[in-house]
Each structure stands twice: as structure tokens, then as C-alpha cells.
Amino acid sequence: MTLTNVKQYGYCLPSLPAGSVFQNQADAVRNLQLEILVGGGELPRSRHIPLEHEDLDTLDFDHIYLINLDRRPERRVRLEKSFSVLGLEVERIQAVDGRNLDLDFLKGMGVKMLDGYSDPYRHRPMTMGEYGCFLSHYAIWRDVVDKGYEKVLIFEDDIRFEHFFRQRMATIWRDIARLNLDWDLIYLGRKRLVDESEPFVRKSRALVHVGYSYWTLSYMLSNAGAQKLLKGEPLMKMIPVDEYLPVMFNRHPNDTWNAAFPERDVVAFSVYPLLVYPSHYTGDVGYISDTEQSEVPLMDAESSIAPGGDRSKDSVHDEL
């Protein structure tokens, strides 16, 4: 017998425990469908199995957003199929594309990088992709406040879902209600750093007090949280969005950056374990980063901040 882990020949469902009912089998198939979509495939449906016509919902959120670049239609298609599998109603938001930005446009919007900002790993200013990413999230925060949504869910488009996503999301809502939890922001997907202390929320085994984190793969946001993020006036002292959030919930280690935002009172948590992960990691076939692999504006590139090496947030393997 010859075994290989290089070639993939198909998929199989895990065996279910004794006493499983039809819904357990349906959930297992749903999990498999989502995994196959991440790999670029799609589970064929037998013509003998009727299509489901379940009503889509928003998992008790007022609205769900997907941030997606126009030039990444393959991600949009995959996520739309994933949302269909999960039964989610999601609005796709056209992401601000860093390739289409220039310094004149940024200046016209009143956008300015925070004085002295330098990427912690590459020791460079912000890239155009990072400006675009921030502006995409910022537009959603504005939309939440303008439309009066009380609680929303935000997804980026380079993600995969953990198994039993809907069931675990229901558990999160039950914990929030049972504990009468006051929250502004709850991560569903992020990069947790090893040296951060993140104790469980008292009487919960699904929520933790979040520490300094990278990535904004997915997060829950309240109206009050959106207002606080906007009140920080980040456009005129911009840092990447995954640095800004930890600053605003006061767990960022850089005191200089913290000082630029005096009101750091966002009440933040994270689900544990996470419900959303990257679809690809650095080095994987198909990995693309539209923030890290992006142009540095000429004016900033000529500043006193010297470009660094090849390391980046995406390539730091210190997450748990």
C-alpha cells in the first residue's frame, strides 16, 4: 500500500456518534461543503435531492457585511456560495482598492498617516492597500451609525468558516444574553498573539477578554462601538485598521500610538475558539495579500522611515 498527502482524491464525511439524527448528518454535509469551497471546488448535488428553499437570515444581527474588492470576483463567488450553505443574508460592500488611490485623493479626504508610524515588522509606512482596507471598514462604521443598526457582523473575503458556525454563533448570543454582557466589539476571526493574557469572561466558556491582536477577518460591532471608532477621528492620524482596533480597546503595546487617541474605551472581547480563520496562510498556494503586497506612497516612502525586511504581520508565526 502507498500513502500520499500530496494528491487529493476526494472527500469523505466523518463518522457520526451513535444516536445522531438527520440534522447532525445535514450539519456534517454543510461543514464538508464549506471546506470544499475553500479549496476551489464545489460538492455536486444529486438530481434526486431537491434543492432547499430555506429563508435566509442574519443570525440576529441587524445587518451583515462582506468587504470585497471588485478585482477579487473569485472570492466574492466563493463567499456567496458559502453564505448560501450557511443560510446567511449578507450585503457585499465594494472595498476601497488601494491600487486606485493616490496621495491627492487621500489628502482630499483629509487622510493622513499618523506621524511616526512604522510597520512593526517591515519598518515602513502604510501601504496603499492598508489605506484602502481602513477606508473600507471606516465606511461600514459610518453606515452602521447613519442607518441606526444596533449590532452588525463584518466579514472580510479571505476567510473560511469553522465547523458548526451557526450553532456556535447561537451559543455566543446565549452567553451575551445570560451574562447581560456590555460589548462594543467581539472578534470572530483574528490572529491572537502568544504573549497576550486573555482570561475567559466570568461564567463563560465561549468568550475571552481580548488582548493585542492582528487581522480583522470578522468581528461583531455594536452601534456604540461604531460611534467610538468614528469619534477617534482616525482619518487624520491613520494607522492600519488591525492596529487601530487594539489601540481603541486599550490593549496596544505602543504608547506613542495610544497617546494619539485619548479616548480608548471600546469594550472588546473575542470568541474562543475562533469561528473564522484565513482561507490561506503565507506560503500557501493561492495566498494573496492586498494590504501587505501593495505600493507604499512615494511621499511616505521618502520620509525618515526606512524600509525594512521581508517579514510581515501575515508571516509572523506566533499565533496560537
Side-chain angles (χ1 to χ4, degrees):
M1 176 183 293
T2 302
L3 298 177
T4 176
N5 62 358
V6 176
K7 295 183 179 180
Q8 183 170 312
Y9 296 95
Y11 303 88
C12 64
L13 287 170
S15 42
L16 297 171
S20 297
V21 297
F22 176 78
Q23 186 59 51
N24 300 131
Q25 298 176 20
D27 291 337
V29 171
R30 187 173 290 115
N31 293 336
L32 183 61
Q33 285 179 282
L34 293 171
E35 287 300 317
I36 293 173
L37 284 168
V38 172
E42 191 168 359
L43 187 64
R45 178 187 289 270
S46 167
R47 62 185 177 86
H48 300 291
I49 301 177
L51 292 172
E52 296 178 340
H53 294 284
E54 296 178 339
D55 292 334
L56 302 179
D57 63 37
T58 56
L59 290 173
D60 291 328
F61 292 98
D62 294 328
H63 206 68
I64 304 179
Y65 298 90
L66 168 67
I67 299 173
N68 169 250
L69 288 167
D70 280 347
R71 58 183 168 87
R72 298 292 179 214
E74 72 288 350
R75 292 184 177 181
R76 176 180 182 176
V77 169
R78 180 179 70 80
L79 265 298
E80 286 176 345
K81 291 177 179 178
S82 298
F83 294 141
S84 178
V85 170
L86 290 168
L88 298 182
E89 181 180 354
V90 180
E91 179 187 4
R92 182 258 181 180
I93 298 295
Q94 179 184 343
V96 178
D97 195 336
R99 290 186 181 180
N100 299 332
L101 297 178
D102 58 38
L103 289 173
D104 288 338
F105 178 83
L106 293 175
K107 288 178 182 178
M109 289 190 65
V111 174
K112 182 180 182 297
M113 187 181 73
L114 178 67
D115 289 340
Y117 169 77
S118 174
D119 181 272
Y121 295 99
R122 294 197 173 187
H123 308 292
R124 52 142 178 83
M126 287 180 64
T127 67
M128 283 301 193
E130 288 171 330
Y131 282 109
C133 181
F134 195 110
L135 292 172
S136 301
H137 285 266
Y138 185 89
I140 291 177
W141 305 340
R142 288 289 303 270
D143 195 59
V144 170
V145 173
D146 290 346
K147 294 181 178 176
Y149 294 142
E150 288 302 317
K151 51 188 185 300
V152 301
L153 179 58
I154 300 167
F155 292 116
E156 295 183 340
D157 65 1
D158 51 346
I159 60 172
R160 55 169 283 269
F161 294 94
E162 186 66 348
H163 290 179
F164 305 106
F165 177 84
R166 287 188 64 94
Q167 294 90 327
R168 292 182 59 191
M169 199 58 244
T171 299
I172 300 302
W173 279 129
R174 285 195 295 270
D175 264 21
I176 290 172
R178 178 175 56 84
L179 300 170
N180 194 24
L181 189 70
D182 178 29
W183 64 275
D184 293 324
L185 184 150
I186 301 177
Y187 285 101
L188 300 192
R190 63 187 173 112
K191 173 184 282 200
R192 177 191 171 189
L193 302 184
V194 169
D195 57 355
E196 284 295 305
S197 173
E198 298 190 337
F200 279 103
V201 172
R202 188 170 180 270
K203 296 185 178 181
S204 173
R205 301 304 293 176
L207 293 164
V208 297
H209 295 275
V210 66
Y212 179 38
S213 305
Y214 284 151
W215 302 346
T216 49
L217 299 172
S218 178
Y219 57 97
M220 303 163 55
L221 185 67
S222 71
N223 187 282
Q227 291 187 51
K228 290 177 182 179
L229 294 175
L230 294 172
K231 189 177 179 181
E233 299 184 334
L235 296 190
M236 63 181 62
K237 44 192 174 182
M238 189 175 286
I239 57 179
V241 67
D242 64 345
E243 303 281 11
Y244 181 62
L245 296 186
V247 165
M248 293 302 285
F249 58 76
N250 205 29
R251 288 298 297 270
H252 202 289
N254 190 310
D255 291 335
T256 301
W257 301 355
N258 289 335
F261 304 94
E263 295 187 49
R264 303 185 300 277
D265 56 353
V266 171
V267 182
F269 303 92
S270 175
V271 302
Y272 181 86
L274 296 173
L275 301 187
V276 173
Y277 291 90
S279 59
H280 299 82
Y281 289 92
T282 305
D284 287 349
V285 175
Y287 170 79
I288 299 172
S289 173
D290 289 301
T291 53
E292 296 288 342
Q293 300 164 349
S294 179
E295 175 187 1
V296 176
L298 182 60
M299 180 179 294
D300 288 336
E302 291 176 345
S303 71
S304 59
I305 301 173
D310 294 330
R311 297 185 74 205
S312 68
K313 295 176 183 177
D314 290 349
S315 63
V316 176
H317 298 289
D318 57 356
E319 70 272 21
L320 290 180

